[in-house]
Amino acid sequence: MITIRTATADDAPALGRLLGEAFRDDPAWAQFYPDPATRAERLTAHYRRSVRRHPERVDVATDDGRVVGALLWEPPEAAGAGAAIRRVLTQAIQSARSRLPGGRGIRHTREVDSHRPPEPHWYLHDIGAGPEARGRGVGSALLEHRLGLVDQSGTALMFLEATTPGSRRLYERFGFEAVGSVPTQPGQASTAMIRRA
């Protein structure tokens, strides 16, 4: 039976490996790490750092104690002058970095972010299941868990990027609607989506 819990820093190695493998062929991540030979390794390191930095923002799916999936999220940003200044600084840094060699991933992020709602919202970054758990409802269980908590929070607006047609269909089943698209690979695009309670 799949259960959901909050991550701890000790989960970082296992979740890094699981998510690195889950997103190895993801078209949006290919913008950041174009070399398929090193992509899984670089993603593993990225996710390991992310989980260590903010384990409280990671929902972990387990099945009989084994980690089988995860959802990384970001809470709504506080309103006010400080938040506005941070947003402007972040945008300026991203703009500069996007012009550097290898800035394709930053440009992709900036395009996705252009579809984010201006009002406070939750951002669901990544939802992934391990290879042995795909097709077993892990993504749905993680979404049900997080959406239930978000709906009780008072700020129920949510945003995410569906990077494949399959993920878009999953999110549509949970009430997300497309608000824009961002090119990934030739002939492919990810979909920016929002959900309002």
Side-chain angles (χ1 to χ4, degrees):
M1 183 172 120
I2 295 169
T3 58
I4 311 297
R5 63 172 173 80
T6 302
T8 68
D10 291 340
D11 290 314
L15 290 177
R17 285 189 302 275
L18 183 146
L19 293 168
E21 178 62 28
F23 289 101
R24 180 188 64 210
D25 298 321
D26 185 83
W29 275 115
Q31 305 301 300
F32 285 88
Y33 307 120
D35 182 359
T38 61
R39 189 177 304 133
E41 180 183 329
R42 294 181 76 186
L43 281 168
T44 295
H46 163 80
Y47 284 116
R48 194 171 43 237
R49 284 189 305 272
S50 295
V51 173
R52 274 199 191 108
R53 191 176 304 124
H54 288 292
E56 74 282 2
R57 296 182 182 182
V58 181
D59 297 330
V60 179
T62 62
D63 186 9
D64 287 332
R66 289 181 309 113
V67 172
V68 295
L71 185 158
L72 282 69
W73 52 272
E74 179 183 320
E77 189 173 60
I85 291 168
R86 278 192 301 279
R87 274 194 301 276
V88 169
L89 289 173
T90 299
Q91 290 169 354
I93 291 167
Q94 284 183 339
S95 177
R97 289 178 61 203
S98 72
R99 291 189 284 276
L100 296 172
R104 190 169 75 176
I106 298 294
R107 287 190 296 275
H108 177 83
T109 296
R110 292 188 72 212
E111 286 187 56
V112 171
D113 285 351
S114 73
H115 297 288
R116 288 178 72 165
E119 58 265 46
H121 60 277
W122 297 79
Y123 190 165
L124 302 187
H125 282 282
D126 298 295
I127 303 170
E132 75 287 349
R134 291 195 188 121
R136 294 184 43 221
V138 172
S140 293
L142 285 161
L143 277 168
E144 286 174 7
H145 173 79
R146 180 54 37 198
L147 295 178
L149 295 172
V150 166
D151 287 346
Q152 297 171 18
S153 72
T155 303
L157 180 62
M158 302 182 80
F159 177 83
L160 57 74
E161 175 190 13
T163 59
T164 66
S167 63
R168 178 178 172 161
R169 286 189 298 273
L170 172 66
Y171 302 139
E172 286 174 338
R173 286 199 310 268
F174 283 89
F176 285 86
E177 299 176 353
V179 293
S181 66
V182 177
T184 53
Q185 304 294 333
Q188 296 180 334
S190 63
T191 306
M193 306 184 79
I194 62 168
R195 176 184 178 269
R196 298 181 187 275

